[in-house]
Amino acid sequence: MSTAAQMQAKAAATTPAARPPMLHAGALEGRVAIVTGGGTGLGRGMAETFAALGARVVIASRKLEVLQRTAEALSGEGREVVPFVADVRNRASVAALVEFTAERFGGIDILVNNAAGNFVVESAAMSPNAWNTVIDIVLNGTWNCTQAVGKHMIDAGRKGAILNIVATYAMTGNPMTVHSAAAKAGVLALTKSLSIEWGRHGIRLNAIAPGPINGTGAADKLWADPTIERRMRENISVGRFGEPEEVADLASYLVSDYAGFVTGACFVQDGGLWLRRPTLFD
Ligand code: HXC
Ligand code: NAP
């Protein structure tokens, strides 16, 4: 069997089957969560798991139809997932999201900054607006939501957990996605800085740096090219891409009381990809 075929067989053998969430039922009972970019990909996976664990969840992004479809699919049987249109780049829009969530559910306990924009582009050819667009969504958007929700938590005297979704190239850098790498590095610095500043308010901030995950916008946009996809797969020590449910399990732990002693940390969840140090997308 060829190396590629062996990898495929190994991947098929080790991909986790559908299974219940890692935490016990009710682990997030009574919690109110905002997940930005919660209509698709990893955000949708986290919203689903949080709701299954008892949280009431507001999913926020630009496209109402996508949000509505997801909210409908994830709600029911006691689960509540509510759509809200917001552009994280716009501070008035973010303020409206915070106000809506606090009024509807009486407060906010959890924020996941998951919304992102990204594309593969040669740096020398990138336009100023292309750079600004990704920095604006990823870094400024994370800051806008974090400041608005953090201030709400502080004013309400309410403890909270903020989780930022980054990428391992925040630590290593990466060609062809320099805008995203720079923005994610900024988000990581923000995570660590505020974990120190807001610890006294009972607010914990952590990050997850996922590797390539199946069924997400990143998969469509970044490794639709089979050559790039194969190179990534061959460098993943566990022999397969990740699943949204796996990120959702780690996320649910980090925003739960079980992680009460964890703050300012970044968890790499990438099947070992980053340790081999391959550059991606070039
Ligand atoms: C070069 C590009 C480009 C491309 C857009 N631009 N795509 N430049 N190559 N492929 C430029 C445009 O020409 C424009 O500049 C500027 O970027 C803004 O583009 P718009 O289309 O006007 O922006 P907007 O409508 O705001 O959409 C934002 C977006 C879009 C980022 C461009 O793709 C989007 O909405 N993405 C959201 C979903 C997403 O990206 N998910 C993937 C996350 S994956 P000019 O100069 O022409 O005006 C991820 C994984 C990381 O982050 C780690 C993986 C391991
Ligand atoms: P995705 O499916 O493309 O989701 C991105 C979401 O962000 C979309 O739902 C989009 O919704 C929303 N969004 C984009 N711009 C926005 C804005 N200005 N305001 C509000 N919402 C906005 O992406 P994904 O692959 O699941 O990635 C999710 C997160 O994980 C990102 O932070 C990404 O960098 C990170 N990550 C992913 C992978 C992976 O393998 N998937 C690996 C490493 C890191 P609208 O279009 O409706 O606005």
Side-chain angles (χ1 to χ4, degrees):
M1 209 190 284
S2 71
T3 307
Q6 281 171 340
M7 298 293 288
Q8 295 288 352
K10 189 175 165 196
T14 54
T15 299
R19 45 158 178 55
M22 174 182 81
L23 294 186
H24 65 81
L28 297 180
E29 198 69 55
R31 303 294 157 90
V32 177
I34 293 174
V35 180
T36 67
T40 64
L42 294 183
R44 177 183 167 129
M46 289 185 275
E48 180 168 18
T49 296
F50 291 1
L53 294 172
R56 288 167 295 170
V57 185
V58 176
I59 52 174
S61 75
R62 298 163 301 176
K63 298 192 190 97
L64 179 60
E65 314 82 80
V66 175
L67 292 169
Q68 278 174 332
R69 265 202 308 277
T70 297
E72 206 172 302
L74 303 189
S75 296
E77 296 177 18
R79 298 169 190 197
E80 202 170 352
V81 177
V82 176
F84 190 86
V85 173
D87 187 328
V88 296
R89 295 173 282 195
N90 182 313
R91 291 180 67 87
S93 179
V94 169
L97 166 66
V98 170
E99 194 182 331
F100 167 81
T101 308
E103 273 181 13
R104 173 136 183 178
F105 294 123
I108 305 167
D109 306 287
I110 295 164
L111 166 67
V112 182
N113 286 302
N114 165 81
N118 201 358
F119 43 82
V120 175
V121 58
E122 284 203 27
S123 299
M126 180 167 20
S127 73
N129 192 36
W131 169 268
N132 286 338
T133 298
V134 171
I135 298 292
D136 218 13
I137 300 171
V138 177
L139 181 54
N140 296 338
T142 298
W143 168 244
N144 291 339
C145 295
T146 300
Q147 190 188 34
V149 170
K151 188 171 177 337
H152 171 86
M153 289 168 171
I154 292 166
D155 289 349
R158 194 163 172 140
K159 292 179 179 182
I162 298 176
L163 178 64
N164 296 328
I165 309 302
V166 297
T168 55
Y169 57 45
M171 281 91 79
T172 62
N174 193 59
M176 311 290 281
T177 52
V178 65
H179 45 9
S180 174
K184 296 290 193 188
V187 170
L188 200 50
L190 178 159
T191 308
K192 293 177 195 165
S193 302
L194 286 177
S195 74
I196 303 167
E197 187 172 336
W198 286 354
R200 65 178 175 274
H201 298 296
I203 301 173
R204 295 183 298 105
L205 290 98
N206 290 293
I208 297 176
I213 310 294
N214 288 319
T216 61
D220 295 339
K221 292 197 70 171
L222 301 183
W223 54 89
D225 177 343
T227 311
I228 291 179
E229 207 245 14
R230 193 178 62 248
R231 183 147 57 88
M232 291 174 94
R233 192 181 299 281
E234 286 172 355
N235 278 290
I236 298 175
S237 300
V238 305
R240 64 170 176 85
F241 284 24
E243 300 297 325
E245 294 80 3
E246 295 179 297
V247 177
D249 274 339
L250 177 55
S252 61
Y253 161 70
L254 288 172
V255 301
S256 77
D257 290 344
Y258 291 102
F261 199 51
V262 182
T263 194
C266 177
F267 290 76
V268 173
Q269 187 178 29
D270 75 341
L273 175 64
W274 83 309
L275 293 176
R276 293 178 188 249
R277 298 280 195 278
T279 60
L280 312 174
F281 319 130
D282 60 339

